[in-house]
Amino acid sequence: MSFRPQRISATTLLLGALIATLGVLLWLRAAAPPEVFLTAEEKAWLQQHPRLRLAPDPNFPPIEFFDEQGRYQGLVADYYRLIEARLGIQFEIVHAASWEEVVKLARSHEVDIVGAAQWTPSRADYLLFSPPLLDIPNVIIARSGSQDMQTLNDLAGRRVVITQGNALDEYIRSQYPSIRLQPVPDDLSALQDVAFGDADATVVNLAIASYLIDRYGIANLRVAGDSGKSNALYIASRSDWPILNRILSKGLASITDDERQAIAQRWVHLENGTYRLLNRDALIALLTALAVLLAAGLLVALWNRLLRHKLAQQASALKQEYQERLQAQEALKASEENYRQVFNAANDAIFVHDAETGAILDVNQRMLEMYRIRYEDALRTTADQLGSGIPPYSREEARQWIEKTLTEGPQVFEWQARRADGELFWVEVGLRATTIAGQRRVLAVARDISERKQAAEKAAFYAVHDPLTALPNRRLLTDRLEQAIALAHRHGGEAALLFIDLDRFKAINDTLGHGIGDELLVRIAERLRGLMRESDTVGRLGGDEFLAVVQEPRQKEDASLVAQKILDTLSRPFMVGDRELTVSVSIGIALYPQDGDSVESLIRSADMAMLAAKHAGRHGFRFFDPRIDSIAAERLALETRLRQAFESGKLYLHYQPQVALKDCQLLGVEALLRWQDSERGSISPLHFIPVAEASGLIIPIGAWVLREACKRAQHWNAARATPLGIAVNISSLQFRPALVEEVKAALADSGLPPHLLELELTESVVMGQDSDVLALMNALRELGVRLSLDDFGTGYSSLSYLKAFPLDKLKVDRSFIKDMPQDVNDTKLVEAMLAIARTLELKVVAEGVETREQLAALRAMGCDAVQGYYCYRPLSEDDMTGLALAEQACPRCLPEEQ
């Protein structure tokens, strides 16, 4: 009986393939973790490098972080432990202090691997990136039971908090302006605000939200929806070891879907949303496809086995040829791999294109990163399409450079290019003609020089512009003024120079801080820039001084119109942060040729005119007048004599009594500075106090007044039965941290009890409610001294200021008292001030009381005390000593007999 093998039918083969497919798929899903298949070269490399330096972000929980014992923990840490087991290597964990230090170590190749990093063009210069390690969604977190907020569109009109610096901040503000976005310091604050009802929702990284909610026990929160944005993280390894990138990518690929989900479930615990760190369905589909391919391979192998006995002779004959071809293919593959490694490791973008058509034939990895383009799209592009398209960087110029390379040889030039997303940038291009596989080609190498170009442009710009306001600086202003003078000289016309100076700007810096002052200068510069004609120039001379050059004004009135426009524009309030600030300016105007025929002389004349505007009351403008020279000289002489008078002890104090309306007894005195000059006689404080402030003399003079007043008051109190307080005026220049020590010294030297010293502050000193101002006022109150607000009602005061500041007393300005009680409006205003003071539990002193009627009206309103000529004029030290020691009631204050 003969035996012949049965013919296997196609149905049987397909059935066998199906069974094999299902078996392989089940094995893939249930078997132990797969083996990582490494080439001989990769295995040898790992043997040479058994320990690899890994630098994680030290504070990025739960992605990666160091716990309290210094152990490496987090989602990414679990991935690396699996990769260690797969590859049989060991990661040496580098404990960097911050993410900035990690980046620095990676840039200098002092570490081999960065734990988890986002891809950026700058990092691609020194790092190679694996396939995505994690892709974590940014989700919408809301309170349990809140209305549906499944997408960002559902957040319109709602209060949404977001962490400062989060990349989503800018995205949401630009794409969803109707969302009421509010920044908070960190993700924990954002989650707590939502849980406590201070916000409707927050948008946050799912993994980070899960970790924080779990760690800090935040209740009453749920995942409401998906923002549509996610964070992709990669394994990043040093760029000079491309083989390490391939090995790590294989190790990452060996991690199964179940292992990934186990890691995710360990660190991400939020519910109410089907969020996964990786797409499980996609992995299952990939495994299924691989199973089908394996089944097909088994089918081919079976078919080959059935036919092998028929092809034995042919196989033997072809074996040698096959071996030779295989060796050739391996050699070609090795050559291609070496070429590709070198090609992709280059720091510059490289692309090869056809010399005739310009079609791009191949590009390296750096080119794709630099132009932000996919490989397939790059191969559908021609070389002349990579320019900005703006002449001289258009397609026509690009073709001319290629033609020049083909005819004249290598070319190197700078070029403005355009990325795939439309962004323009600068490159240095090198072109060289070559022959590849017998075909004429052009090799292009492009280096991104955008930073170099920007640095050069920035340096050139700020050589002639102010770095704070970006306005022309003194150098450029001088050049523009010289041009205006030359033009006026050539046409027989005029040129105008406006010197603009802010009034009392130092008070803003001293009370609100230099940061607020700088921001205000930027806002002022923006308004000035918008006022000028194209032919004119406005710039910053320095500090709070600006210059405006007006070319060829038709008549003198033109300069006046420009000055008035500047005054009107700058008088409108400025919003600086959450503060509303109002400023005034003084402007001096000088005209060419009558006020000066050079840059220096015109600036000097305009400066002197500006000072005249300030002396005239500020917030106005003045044209230069030759007589100003004598005014400036007079002011300098006054400053010199004042300094001499102070140093020689010629300044002295007078004292104006304050009388209590309740019993007409002497309540306290206000110390007033006086100066009797040997040549000029008595000089009013209205004249010499501004000079003292402008020259800085007010600081030592103010400290002397404080010491002298405390000494006199203690002398009087030592002989009195009832205490007598003394009030000292404090200038805005004195109101600084050093004032606390000056007050301590004055009290210690005199022995005066602190509660008997009252410091009078003007509204300009305390305006703005700045934290530094409040801190200084509280420090003074802690010493035990009293604080009063002088000239109340004439400046910036509001109920919010009065409520916030630690004040004891208000002093109603004399301007509200002088027409009482005849002026009904003034009377009502004073009544309102007294009502406010009673509400805030503040004492009130009315200044400038000069008639019996005024005193009677104030007594009827319930005013606490008065001072003025009706009761007492300012008294010398001897007269004040007699009054203080007499301890008698003021006879003019006593009520008339009924």
Side-chain angles (χ1 to χ4, degrees):
M1 179 178 178
S2 62
F3 174 81
R4 291 190 296 179
Q6 297 294 318
R7 184 176 181 181
I8 300 176
S9 66
T11 302
T12 303
L13 291 174
L14 291 175
L15 180 59
L18 178 60
I19 293 171
T21 300
L22 294 174
V24 172
L25 180 59
L26 290 173
W27 179 83
L28 287 171
R29 293 175 59 90
E35 180 181 356
V36 179
F37 296 98
L38 301 177
T39 65
E41 179 188 10
E42 291 167 343
K43 292 178 180 177
W45 191 91
L46 281 181
Q47 289 178 353
Q48 297 172 2
H49 303 82
R51 292 174 64 86
L52 297 170
R53 296 168 298 175
L54 169 63
D57 187 336
N59 189 25
F60 190 27
I63 308 302
E64 58 178 351
F65 62 100
F66 293 118
D67 63 16
E68 296 176 354
Q69 287 74 39
R71 295 172 299 189
Y72 182 32
Q73 301 286 3
L75 275 160
V76 175
D78 288 353
Y79 274 81
Y80 277 112
R81 293 187 182 98
L82 290 175
I83 293 174
E84 275 185 318
R86 298 284 196 276
L87 299 177
I89 60 176
Q90 183 176 357
F91 292 120
E92 178 183 342
I93 305 301
V94 177
H95 286 68
S98 65
W99 174 247
E100 289 74 18
E101 184 180 347
V102 171
V103 173
K104 181 179 179 181
L105 293 172
R107 188 185 297 273
S108 60
H109 289 172
E110 294 181 57
V111 296
D112 307 318
I113 306 167
V114 173
Q118 292 185 344
W119 181 92
T120 66
S122 61
R123 292 175 188 168
D125 289 338
Y126 53 90
L127 292 172
L128 295 175
F129 292 82
S130 71
L133 173 66
L134 297 171
D135 196 5
I136 307 175
N138 288 299
V139 297
I140 301 170
I141 301 291
R143 291 189 302 280
S144 299
S146 60
Q147 297 180 354
D148 286 345
M149 290 178 271
Q150 298 180 0
T151 67
L152 292 178
N153 286 322
D154 298 331
L155 299 180
R158 299 180 187 271
R159 295 170 301 163
V160 177
V161 290
I162 194 163
T163 305
Q164 291 177 343
N166 193 319
L168 279 174
D169 189 344
E170 181 178 353
Y171 171 76
I172 294 175
R173 290 184 188 279
S174 62
Q175 301 297 323
Y176 302 89
S178 59
I179 296 178
R180 295 159 55 195
L181 208 58
Q182 177 181 342
V184 293
D186 48 50
D187 293 325
L188 177 60
S189 299
L191 293 168
Q192 290 175 336
D193 284 355
V194 176
F196 297 153
D198 296 328
D200 299 317
T202 183
V203 182
V204 67
N205 180 286
L206 173 63
I208 295 175
S210 172
Y211 176 84
L212 293 174
I213 290 172
D214 188 56
R215 178 171 182 181
Y216 294 96
I218 305 174
N220 196 30
L221 294 180
R222 68 185 183 92
V223 177
D226 194 342
S227 71
K229 292 287 183 179
S230 61
N231 293 334
L233 298 173
Y234 305 82
I235 294 177
S237 58
R238 53 192 292 176
S239 59
D240 60 339
W241 285 354
I243 190 171
L244 174 58
N245 178 261
R246 295 201 308 272
I247 293 172
L248 293 174
S249 297
K250 289 182 178 181
L252 177 61
S254 72
I255 299 175
T256 67
D257 179 70
D258 290 336
E259 289 171 328
R260 292 175 182 268
Q261 291 306 318
I263 293 173
Q265 290 170 6
R266 178 183 178 190
W267 295 100
V268 182
H269 306 140
L270 285 180
E271 299 179 352
N272 295 353
T274 58
Y275 298 104
R276 298 179 181 273
L277 299 184
L278 291 175
N279 192 325
R280 181 183 179 89
D281 295 336
L283 288 176
I284 293 176
L286 177 60
L287 291 174
T288 304
L290 291 173
V292 172
L293 291 176
L294 289 173
L298 291 174
L299 180 60
V300 171
L302 180 60
W303 181 255
N304 286 337
R305 187 178 184 85
L306 292 173
L307 295 178
R308 189 173 298 159
H309 70 283
K310 296 181 181 180
L311 300 174
Q313 293 179 349
Q314 292 88 334
S316 178
L318 294 174
K319 184 176 181 181
Q320 183 63 32
E321 180 182 354
Y322 170 76
Q323 291 294 334
E324 293 175 354
R325 289 186 178 182
L326 183 61
Q327 292 175 0
Q329 289 175 356
E330 288 294 333
L332 181 61
K333 181 179 179 181
S335 177
E336 170 67 21
E337 185 173 345
N338 289 336
Y339 156 75
R340 184 58 58 181
Q341 287 180 0
V342 174
F343 194 52
N344 284 327
N347 289 327
D348 296 330
I350 304 174
F351 45 97
V352 181
H353 58 271
D354 186 273
E356 294 187 5
T357 65
I360 294 179
L361 306 175
D362 196 10
V363 299
N364 68 345
Q365 182 66 28
R366 180 59 179 142
M367 188 274 181
L368 303 178
E369 297 166 356
M370 185 182 295
Y371 285 83
R372 298 175 189 165
I373 191 172
R374 297 185 306 170
Y375 185 79
E376 298 78 5
D377 294 334
L379 298 187
R380 290 194 289 266
T381 305
T382 58
D384 57 4
Q385 293 176 324
L386 297 178
S388 66
I390 305 171
Y393 310 105
S394 66
R395 300 182 65 175
E396 181 61 33
E397 281 86 8
R399 284 190 286 268
Q400 292 175 7
W401 278 111
I402 295 173
E403 184 63 29
K404 195 172 183 180
T405 302
L406 295 172
T407 58
E408 301 179 12
Q411 303 291 323
V412 178
F413 53 92
E414 292 185 355
W415 188 256
Q416 188 182 56
R418 186 184 298 274
R419 307 189 203 273
D421 58 9
E423 179 184 342
L424 300 179
F425 67 109
W426 286 94
V427 291
E428 182 181 76
V429 180
L431 296 181
R432 178 182 293 273
T434 187
T435 301
I436 301 177
Q439 300 294 322
R440 191 70 165 159
R441 305 290 187 237
V442 174
L443 179 68
V445 179
R447 174 170 297 174
D448 191 333
I449 60 171
S450 299
E451 291 185 1
R452 188 178 78 193
K453 291 282 286 187
Q454 291 171 1
E457 292 172 358
K458 185 176 181 180
F461 180 83
Y462 283 116
V464 292
H465 288 82
D466 173 50
L468 176 64
T469 63
L471 289 177
N473 62 12
R474 178 186 289 270
R475 180 178 175 184
L476 184 54
L477 282 168
T478 299
D479 180 70
R480 297 287 174 82
L481 184 54
E482 287 176 347
Q483 293 180 26
I485 291 173
L487 185 64
H489 178 73
R490 185 163 52 250
H491 296 165
E494 292 184 336
L497 179 65
L498 280 66
F499 197 114
I500 307 161
D501 186 86
L502 303 185
D503 296 329
R504 299 186 178 92
F505 181 72
K506 189 177 186 304
I508 293 177
N509 274 339
D510 291 343
T511 57
L512 302 183
H514 288 273
I516 296 296
D518 287 349
E519 185 64 26
L520 178 60
L521 289 174
V522 172
R523 297 283 189 273
I524 290 171
E526 291 172 353
R527 291 194 188 176
L528 289 175
R529 188 184 293 111
L531 285 176
M532 309 306 292
R533 302 176 303 177
E534 285 190 15
S535 59
D536 301 334
T537 302
V538 63
R540 184 183 179 206
L541 193 60
D544 60 347
E545 297 175 339
F546 299 82
L547 289 183
V549 179
V550 180
Q551 287 193 5
E552 294 191 302
R554 289 169 297 180
Q555 50 190 355
K556 187 176 182 179
E557 286 71 18
D558 284 356
S560 300
L561 292 175
V562 174
Q564 188 60 50
K565 190 188 299 183
I566 292 173
L567 292 172
D568 294 341
T569 301
L570 298 187
S571 64
R572 299 198 307 269
F574 291 86
M575 287 302 301
V576 180
D578 57 352
R579 293 179 173 86
E580 182 178 289
L581 300 178
T582 302
V583 300
S584 65
V585 296
S586 299
I587 303 174
I589 306 173
L591 301 175
Y592 170 85
Q594 54 265 48
D595 299 332
D597 57 1
S598 67
V599 169
E600 293 76 11
S601 60
L602 281 175
I603 292 178
R604 178 178 177 277
S605 297
D607 188 10
M608 294 177 66
M610 179 274 296
L611 292 175
K614 282 189 178 294
H615 296 159
R618 295 184 172 90
H619 196 57
F621 63 89
R622 289 288 186 274
F623 282 90
F624 174 75
D625 187 324
R627 290 173 295 179
I628 293 177
D629 269 336
S630 61
I631 296 174
E634 171 65 21
R635 184 177 182 85
L636 179 60
L638 185 63
E639 178 185 335
T640 302
R641 295 190 69 82
L642 176 61
R643 188 180 303 275
Q644 294 172 347
F646 173 64
E647 292 174 352
S648 60
K650 297 299 178 60
L651 300 182
Y652 58 94
L653 297 181
H654 274 183
Y655 304 90
Q656 184 163 35
Q658 297 174 345
V659 178
L661 289 180
K662 178 181 179 181
D663 55 9
C664 296
Q665 292 294 323
L666 189 61
L667 179 68
V669 296
E670 179 181 353
L672 303 173
L673 183 63
R674 292 293 185 263
W675 177 20
Q676 184 75 22
D677 186 69
S678 58
E679 294 181 5
R680 306 184 184 188
S682 177
I683 299 178
S684 170
L686 296 177
H687 288 96
F688 72 81
I689 292 295
V691 172
E693 290 181 331
S695 63
L697 276 172
I698 195 66
I699 300 298
I701 291 177
W704 173 81
V705 170
L706 188 63
R707 293 193 304 271
E708 185 69 15
C710 290
K711 187 187 305 180
R712 288 300 100 205
Q714 179 59 14
H715 172 72
W716 297 328
N717 278 293
R720 283 176 58 88
T722 58
L724 181 67
I726 189 161
V728 178
N729 289 283
I730 300 297
S731 166
S732 61
L733 296 179
Q734 292 176 264
F735 195 73
R736 68 206 193 287
L739 178 63
V740 177
E741 295 303 321
E742 291 174 359
V743 172
K744 283 183 180 179
L747 293 173
D749 291 345
S750 64
L752 181 70
H755 71 275
L756 295 181
L757 174 61
E758 177 183 316
L759 302 181
E760 293 191 3
L761 310 176
T762 61
E763 295 180 355
S764 62
V765 170
V766 298
M767 72 173 184
Q769 201 173 347
D770 185 80
S771 58
D772 293 340
V773 173
L774 284 172
L776 183 52
M777 294 178 72
N778 286 325
L780 291 170
R781 282 296 301 274
E782 288 176 2
L783 297 179
V785 303
R786 306 289 182 174
L787 300 179
S788 65
L789 189 62
D790 198 13
D791 302 333
F792 178 60
T794 62
Y796 306 93
S797 293
S798 70
L799 291 178
S800 62
Y801 295 157
L802 296 179
K803 181 180 177 182
F805 290 139
L807 296 170
D808 300 284
K809 185 183 296 183
L810 297 180
K811 299 192 72 174
V812 179
D813 187 70
R814 67 178 65 249
S815 61
F816 298 100
I817 305 298
K818 65 184 181 65
D819 294 326
M820 284 180 53
Q822 293 82 8
D823 190 311
V824 177
N825 291 330
D826 280 349
T827 303
K828 291 181 178 179
L829 284 173
V830 174
E831 288 177 343
M833 294 177 194
L834 290 170
I836 292 172
R838 282 192 291 270
T839 301
L840 299 176
E841 299 181 354
L842 301 177
K843 297 294 184 181
V844 179
V845 175
E847 299 180 297
V849 176
E850 298 182 355
T851 68
R852 182 76 181 180
E853 292 77 9
Q854 292 170 351
L855 186 141
L858 290 167
R859 175 180 279 139
M861 294 178 189
C863 183
D864 298 295
V866 297
Q867 70 179 62
Y869 284 10
Y870 179 75
C871 291
Y872 298 103
R873 289 177 175 271
L875 303 175
S876 67
E877 180 181 325
D878 292 340
D879 292 340
M880 187 65 232
T881 299
L883 180 64
L885 300 184
E887 296 196 65
Q888 297 177 351
C890 173
R892 305 195 73 186
C893 173
L894 295 171
E896 295 179 352
E897 295 294 337
Q898 299 296 326

